[in-house]
């Protein structure tokens, strides 16, 4: 009788659970039994492992073989257990020393020829191994860079099972030829990407990014975009087709500061599990941008799928931007599913196979037309929609959802003079991003020693008691609260926007003008001018921009 054990990792959502892989050999009729709640792809590993062992030059034991995956109560899926199963079997057959396998963590899929193929979710798997106290990890050669992102872990990348056997048995390591021919795609990378996600993952690709200088006019919307990026405030853009709502939203990720090392690991882990991490890009440094179609289902938005749920769009946009274009065309129940992650920064998905929590702290950008035809309220638009149709169209954005949106901007059609103007260049993304970075650093310095990093995360109680605005600055906001124009949540969000406006202007705390401008951005009612500091140090009257572009009440109930 022979026995050996090693370890691997089971992914539950975006979190890893350490699994002990045990192999037991007993005299009897040759058979291979796999226990421990395996799914279909894991059950098929019996044939993959047997062929890989034989084709690697090792002898397959002709005895009764039982492989157990413990803890047995955790569902296990995927092909990443192949490498651990093969080594446990060889240890039980005494081809390898079982003592050499005990403290090893192994992750990888085996091909029938013995090659080790990469799998998705290597980063969260190695993070789970490090948290459990493991210090040595064996991964496929193609994912060594991703696994090496975890500090304090010794990573061994192998190209084939034959190489791993030689390393563990202290034998000369054979050279494995790379079958990839120059100019041909690498077949081993096929397991890292889910089909159809190559272009829509939302991760930055290449150096080219949309520039804010391409947007003609829209000064009010540009200023609101700057505030949204500086304080991570949710924004709603309403306007007729062709006004530039999508252009503005696509340039919002470029204004956000680069991810911190901790945020980079979190974003990379989510995209590694989802199969949207581009090969050759082991670590994500820029905020992601996810823009699902308006026909997206609730499962695709918040997470789901058969068996254990997988990350949805809200998780793929973690620490980035989630853009819902044509929001009024989305299913109201799908949009309302965003209400919980907007408040908590995570989403809890409950399915029959289990319940899991996935990160979902994103900046929400909504865009919608004012009516079904899109011409309501425009000069010479010729809107033919009935009043009842307009009311039904606007009510698709519910009041509770809109109450969680800080900035509500009317995007008016661009004037001909602005569109065809020559020699007049708007501020670029780099210029605005520098101001956003300075405001972000100012907020971080103020929030040092607290669990919050941006103004949008600070609870309202703290803003009202610990960081107070100037005396009398809240007079108008308090009157709006009394007459029902603001809810208690709305007042807290006005305070957060006011702090962001003060950070952009370089002030120590918000003034009456900051609060009134935050009220104007939320309610659409003009409250007066706000003066802020522009790129060259000159003052810019933001209230003038609002007087030029009158804002209207957004669709949905006011809260």
């Amino acid at each position: 009788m022979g026995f050996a054990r090693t370890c691997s990792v089971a992914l539950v959502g975006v979190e890893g659970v350490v699994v002990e892989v045990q192999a037991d050999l007993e005299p009897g009729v040759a058979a291979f039994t796999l226990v421990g709640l395996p799914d279909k792809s894991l059950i098929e590993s019996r044939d993959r492992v047997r062929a890989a062992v034989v084709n690697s030059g090792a002898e397959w034991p002709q005895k009764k073989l039982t492989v157990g995956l413990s803890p047995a109560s955790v569902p296990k899926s995927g092909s990443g257990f192949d490498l651990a199963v093969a080594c446990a079997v060889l240890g039980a057959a005494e081809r390898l020393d079982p003592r050499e396998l005990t403290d090893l963590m192994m992750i990888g899929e085996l091909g029938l020829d013995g090659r080790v193929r990469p799998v998705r979710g290597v980063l969260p798997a190695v993070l789970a191994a490090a948290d459990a106290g493991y210090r040595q990890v064996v991964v496929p050669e193609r994912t060594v860079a991703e696994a090496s992102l975890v500090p304090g872990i010794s990573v061994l990348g192998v190209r084939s099972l034959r190489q791993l056997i030689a390393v563990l048995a202290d034998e000369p390591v054979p050279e494995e030829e790379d079958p990839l021919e120059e100019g041909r795609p690498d077949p081993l990378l096929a397991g890292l990407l889910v089909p159809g996600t190559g272009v829509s993952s939302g991760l930055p690709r290449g150096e080219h990014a949309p520039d804010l200088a391409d947007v003609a006019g829209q000064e009010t919307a540009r200023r609101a975009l700057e505030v949204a990026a500086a304080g991570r405030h949710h924004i709603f853009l309403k306007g007729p087709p062709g006004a530039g709502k999508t252009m503005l939203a696509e340039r919002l990720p470029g204004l956000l500061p680069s991810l911190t090392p901790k945020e980079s690991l979190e974003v990379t882990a989510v995209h590694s599990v989802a199969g949207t991490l581009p090969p050759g890009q082991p670590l994500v440094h820029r905020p992601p941008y996810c823009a699902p179609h308006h026909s997206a289902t609730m499962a695709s938005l918040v997470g789901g799928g058969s068996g254990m749920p997988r990350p949805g769009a809200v998780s793929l946009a973690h620490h980035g931007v989630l853009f819902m274009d044509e929001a009024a065309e989305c299913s109201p129940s799908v949009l309302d599913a965003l209400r919980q992650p907007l408040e908590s920064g995570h989403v809890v998905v409950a399915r029959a196979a289990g319940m899991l929590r996935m990160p979902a702290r994103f900046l929400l950008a909504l865009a919608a037309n004012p009516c079904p035809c899109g011409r309501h309220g425009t000069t010479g638009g010729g809107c033919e929609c009935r009043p009842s149709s307009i009311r039904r169209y606007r009510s698709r954005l519910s009041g509770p959802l809109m109450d969680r949106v800080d900035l509500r901007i009317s995007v008016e059609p661009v004037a001909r003079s602005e569109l065809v103007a020559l020699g007049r260049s708007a501020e670029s993304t780099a210029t605005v991003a520098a101001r956003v970075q300075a405001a972000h650093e100012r907020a971080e310095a103020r929030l040092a020693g607290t669990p919050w990093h941006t103004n949008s995360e600070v609870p309202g109680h703290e803003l009202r008691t610990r960081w107070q605005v100037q005396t009398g600055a809240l007079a108008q906001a308090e009157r709006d609260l009394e007459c029902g124009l603001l809810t208690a949540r709305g007042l807290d969000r006005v305070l957060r926007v006011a702090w962001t406006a003060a950070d952009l202007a370089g002030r120590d705390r918000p003034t009456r003008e900051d609060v009134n401008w935050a009220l104007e951005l939320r309610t659409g009612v003009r409250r007066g001018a706000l003066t802020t500091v522009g790129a060259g140090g000159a003052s810019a009257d933001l209230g003038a921009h609002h007087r030029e572009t009158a804002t209207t009440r957004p669709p949905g109930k006011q809260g």
Side-chain angles (χ1 to χ4, degrees):
M1 184 180 72
F3 178 82
R5 63 185 179 90
T6 186
C7 290
S8 190
V9 176
L11 290 177
V12 183
V14 295
E15 297 180 357
V17 178
V18 174
V19 173
E20 188 177 64
V21 181
Q22 303 172 340
D24 177 71
L25 280 176
E26 295 181 356
V29 179
F32 188 171
T33 304
L34 184 64
V35 297
L37 285 184
D39 70 344
K40 179 66 174 176
S41 62
L42 187 49
I43 290 176
E44 292 176 349
S45 69
R46 295 179 299 185
D47 299 319
R48 290 195 302 270
V49 169
R50 182 187 291 110
V53 169
V54 172
N55 290 328
S56 298
E59 183 180 352
W60 183 260
Q62 298 300 317
K63 295 182 181 180
K64 183 181 178 182
L65 171 62
T66 303
V67 174
L69 307 176
S70 180
S73 59
V74 176
K76 302 162 189 74
S77 61
S79 56
F81 296 90
D82 290 2
L83 200 58
V85 170
C87 289
V89 171
L90 293 175
E94 298 183 351
R95 174 64 178 86
L96 298 175
D97 187 353
R99 293 172 298 180
E100 297 290 334
L101 305 176
T102 304
D103 296 327
L104 277 182
M105 179 68 64
M106 301 186 185
I107 305 163
E109 175 187 334
L110 286 175
L112 299 184
D113 56 355
R115 284 189 300 168
V116 182
R117 304 176 62 92
V119 294
R120 299 192 299 269
V122 167
L123 178 58
V126 177
L127 285 170
D131 292 340
Y134 289 86
R135 292 295 174 260
Q136 291 182 313
V137 179
V138 180
V139 298
E141 187 181 50
R142 295 292 196 278
T143 57
V144 168
E146 184 179 346
S148 300
L149 296 174
V150 182
I153 290 289
S154 174
V155 180
L156 172 63
V158 293
R159 185 174 294 179
S160 68
L161 179 60
R162 187 182 297 107
Q163 286 185 338
L164 181 57
I165 293 174
V167 171
L168 295 177
D170 198 16
E171 300 172 354
V173 179
E175 288 292 334
E176 294 286 351
E177 295 183 1
D178 193 346
L180 180 62
E181 297 180 8
E182 187 175 354
R184 296 186 59 186
D186 190 348
L188 293 182
L189 298 179
L192 295 180
L193 290 176
V194 173
T197 58
V199 228
S200 59
S201 66
L203 294 180
R205 296 174 185 270
E207 297 299 324
H208 178 72
D211 198 328
L212 198 58
D214 301 335
V215 180
Q218 304 299 356
E219 293 299 328
T220 301
R222 291 169 62 95
R223 292 291 183 183
L225 218 64
E226 183 176 341
V227 173
R232 299 295 178 98
H233 303 289
H234 309 306
I235 185 171
F236 171 64
L237 302 170
K238 184 192 73 172
K245 304 186 295 295
T246 304
M247 281 188 69
L248 288 164
E250 288 176 344
R251 284 147 181 80
L252 183 54
L255 302 180
L256 297 178
S258 297
L259 301 176
T260 64
K262 180 182 177 182
E263 293 172 345
S264 294
L265 285 177
E266 293 178 3
V267 173
T268 303
V270 172
H271 285 267
S272 178
V273 171
T276 57
L277 191 63
Q281 184 179 342
L283 186 64
V284 180
H285 297 281
R286 294 294 304 161
Y289 172 78
C290 192
H293 192 259
H294 64 262
S295 63
T297 63
M298 187 178 299
S300 67
L301 193 65
V302 302
S306 59
M308 289 301 295
R310 302 193 68 81
V314 295
S315 297
L316 294 178
H318 185 51
H319 290 311
V321 176
L322 176 65
F323 177 47
M324 301 296 296
D325 202 1
E326 304 295 344
E329 300 291 344
C330 298
S331 168
S333 60
V334 171
L335 284 179
D336 285 338
L338 298 174
R339 286 153 56 176
Q340 177 193 357
L342 285 178
E343 288 290 324
S344 62
H346 64 266
V347 59
V348 178
V349 182
R351 296 291 186 269
M355 179 182 297
L356 57 89
R357 166 176 163 165
M358 291 180 286
R361 186 170 297 281
F362 55 89
L363 194 165
L364 177 64
L366 298 170
N369 296 330
C371 68
C373 75
R375 298 190 297 271
H376 179 72
T378 60
T379 305
C383 175
E384 298 178 355
C385 300
R386 295 180 179 180
S388 58
S389 299
I390 298 176
R391 285 195 299 271
R392 282 195 302 270
Y393 190 79
R394 294 184 176 184
S395 65
R396 295 177 68 87
L397 299 177
S398 67
L401 174 64
M402 295 304 298
D403 197 37
R404 291 166 167 82
V405 178
D406 303 339
L407 313 176
R408 309 173 186 180
I409 309 301
S410 286
V411 182
E412 302 296 336
V414 182
R416 182 188 62 84
S417 59
E418 295 175 325
L419 193 60
V420 301
L422 298 177
R424 183 190 303 174
S425 59
E427 285 185 319
S428 65
T429 295
T431 302
V432 179
R435 293 201 299 269
V436 169
Q437 179 67 34
H440 180 73
E441 292 173 355
R442 190 174 290 113
E444 273 201 324
R446 181 174 63 252
L447 300 174
T450 70
W452 314 295
H453 303 282
T454 60
N455 291 325
S456 62
E457 301 174 13
V458 184
H461 174 74
E462 297 290 336
L463 290 177
R464 293 190 298 270
T465 58
R466 186 170 179 178
W467 294 289
Q468 297 183 0
V469 301
Q470 285 187 359
T471 305
L474 288 176
Q476 184 61 55
E478 292 170 352
R479 287 194 292 269
D480 286 359
L481 182 65
E482 291 177 356
C483 65
L485 283 176
L486 278 181
T487 62
R489 179 192 290 119
L491 178 61
D492 292 344
R493 292 183 175 274
V494 166
L495 280 174
R496 295 170 181 172
V497 175
W499 271 104
T500 301
D503 288 336
L504 285 169
R507 286 188 278 269
D508 293 334
R509 55 178 178 166
T511 62
R512 180 191 297 268
E513 288 75 17
D514 293 326
V515 175
N516 287 346
W517 189 53
L519 279 170
E520 180 178 336
L521 291 176
R522 182 171 182 84
T523 64
V525 180
R526 287 182 298 184
R527 309 287 177 166
L530 172 67
T531 303
T532 188
V533 178
S539 297
D541 187 1
L542 296 185
H545 295 307
H546 291 278
R547 288 191 292 272
E548 293 173 4
T549 307
T551 54
T552 57
R553 190 178 301 273
K557 298 178 182 179
Q558 291 291 337

